[in-house]
Amino acid sequence: MDLQIIVIAVLLFIFGIYFYLKKIVVPKVKGAVGEYKVSLKLKRLNKNEYLVLNNILLKKGELTTQIDHIVISRSGIFIIETKNYKGWIHGHENSEYWTQTIYKHKTKFRNPIKQNWSHVYLLKKVLSDYSNIKYYPIVVFAGNSKLIDITANFPVIYLKQLVRTIKRNNKEISLSNDEIQNISDKLNQLNIKGRKKNREHIKLLKKQVGERRKIEKSKMCPKCGNILVKRKGQYGKFYGCSNFPKCRYTLKI
């Protein structure tokens, strides 16, 4: 009997380690590798024309957001959300989740476009003194993924396209050199550093996702509180907000 208990305890311990590595450690490592690849690519930008900030954690009131990369230029601010995935990637800019397909296995992940819009929203709050800033959100896939059926009004690109995309959009002059430097200094000053603050940010995100999922299960729109109704579109069946077109929230069935 004692031997059985020991065996069960060992198995549970091994399973716990496996679960921790798979669900916690591996995603963090993948994310860090993807961000490192992007930061290396951004070093190719002319330092006299672009200021690059990596891994910035900002807070305004109760809102916090972690931004993978910020590039400040004469045309405005490029906000880069990095994903280091493999397989086929499917997604629509209005969907709450996108899909990663590896053979027949499908995994959902948060819509990176909506993630990036939340970054833009907080940056606008933090940099409210600069009314002339133009914001350019970009989603970059740094892994061996293939983008399939991506519907978006701003760039969702591969890593090799990143520098070219930034340069192509850096044509108009909306910021002076002094403003570029002042914005960089301000964001660096506001950047929250330290493991404790990062843990608090992750905890808050998990809480927000959990609350959102509860609302979704009740078939209520997490954006405006109206009822979600079944609809059929070009990409199949989905739940859409009954307050459409004022609210364009969608949830894939």
Side-chain angles (χ1 to χ4, degrees):
M1 188 68 177
D2 292 339
L3 181 59
Q4 287 180 333
I5 293 174
I6 293 172
V7 171
I8 292 172
V10 170
L11 290 174
L12 289 174
F13 177 72
I14 293 173
F15 177 78
I17 292 177
Y18 170 78
F19 182 84
Y20 177 76
L21 291 172
K22 183 177 180 180
K23 297 294 184 180
I24 307 297
V25 176
V26 172
K28 283 186 178 180
V29 171
K30 282 184 177 180
V33 170
E35 290 175 23
Y36 178 70
K37 288 180 180 179
V38 172
S39 65
L40 284 180
K41 186 70 70 172
L42 292 175
K43 286 184 178 181
R44 297 184 182 183
L45 293 170
N46 189 331
K47 292 182 179 179
N48 294 322
E49 296 182 30
Y50 303 91
L51 291 181
V52 179
L53 307 178
N54 299 303
N55 192 22
I56 300 295
L57 178 59
L58 301 175
K59 184 174 183 179
K60 182 72 172 178
E62 295 298 318
L63 298 174
T64 63
T65 192
Q66 187 271 328
I67 306 174
D68 295 335
H69 313 276
I70 297 172
V71 179
I72 311 169
S73 73
R74 62 183 184 179
S75 290
I77 298 179
F78 296 87
I79 306 97
I80 301 166
E81 174 69 19
T82 300
K83 296 298 178 187
N84 187 22
Y85 290 164
K86 58 183 179 179
W88 289 3
I89 306 298
H90 308 261
H92 189 283
E93 63 180 355
N94 292 328
S95 299
E96 196 64 23
Y97 297 97
W98 284 16
T99 304
Q100 175 194 36
T101 304
I102 301 176
Y103 298 108
K104 293 183 179 181
H105 182 70
K106 294 185 178 182
T107 305
K108 289 185 177 181
F109 61 96
R110 282 284 311 282
N111 181 345
I113 289 179
K114 290 192 174 183
Q115 283 183 288
N116 223 7
W117 275 122
S118 68
H119 302 334
V120 174
Y121 176 79
L122 192 57
L123 276 174
K124 286 182 177 180
K125 292 282 187 182
V126 169
L127 301 173
S128 58
D129 293 339
Y130 299 88
S131 58
N132 56 327
I133 296 178
K134 290 186 177 180
Y135 295 88
Y136 301 89
I138 300 174
V139 174
V140 178
F141 281 82
N144 297 319
S145 58
K146 187 173 182 180
L147 303 176
I148 306 290
D149 296 329
I150 301 296
T151 305
N153 287 319
F154 69 76
V156 179
I157 60 176
Y158 299 107
L159 179 58
K160 63 183 180 181
Q161 300 172 299
L162 178 57
V163 171
R164 185 167 67 249
T165 300
I166 292 173
K167 288 182 177 179
R168 187 171 62 241
N169 287 282
N170 188 31
K171 300 297 183 183
E172 300 178 4
I173 298 178
S174 61
L175 294 174
S176 67
N177 289 334
D178 287 342
E179 285 177 319
I180 291 172
Q181 188 60 58
N182 290 339
I183 290 169
S184 175
D185 292 342
K186 183 170 185 175
L187 293 178
N188 274 315
Q189 290 172 2
L190 294 173
N191 184 25
I192 301 171
K193 297 179 180 179
R195 292 183 179 181
K196 182 179 179 181
K197 293 297 182 181
N198 276 288
R199 285 197 298 267
E200 290 176 357
H201 172 63
I202 292 170
K203 186 177 179 180
L204 179 61
L205 283 180
K206 288 181 177 179
K207 182 181 177 181
Q208 291 172 346
V209 171
E211 290 174 350
R212 181 181 290 268
R213 286 177 177 170
K214 285 181 181 178
I215 295 172
E216 289 171 348
K217 285 182 179 180
S218 66
K219 299 298 179 290
M220 299 293 289
C221 177
K223 276 192 172 182
C224 66
N226 282 278
I227 299 172
L228 295 177
V229 295
K230 283 187 178 181
R231 302 186 189 277
K232 189 174 182 180
Q234 183 181 355
Y235 302 99
K237 295 180 180 180
F238 65 96
Y239 285 107
C241 182
S242 57
N243 197 28
F244 179 86
K246 289 185 178 180
C247 178
R248 296 179 177 270
Y249 175 83
T250 60
L251 177 65
K252 192 173 181 179
I253 296 177

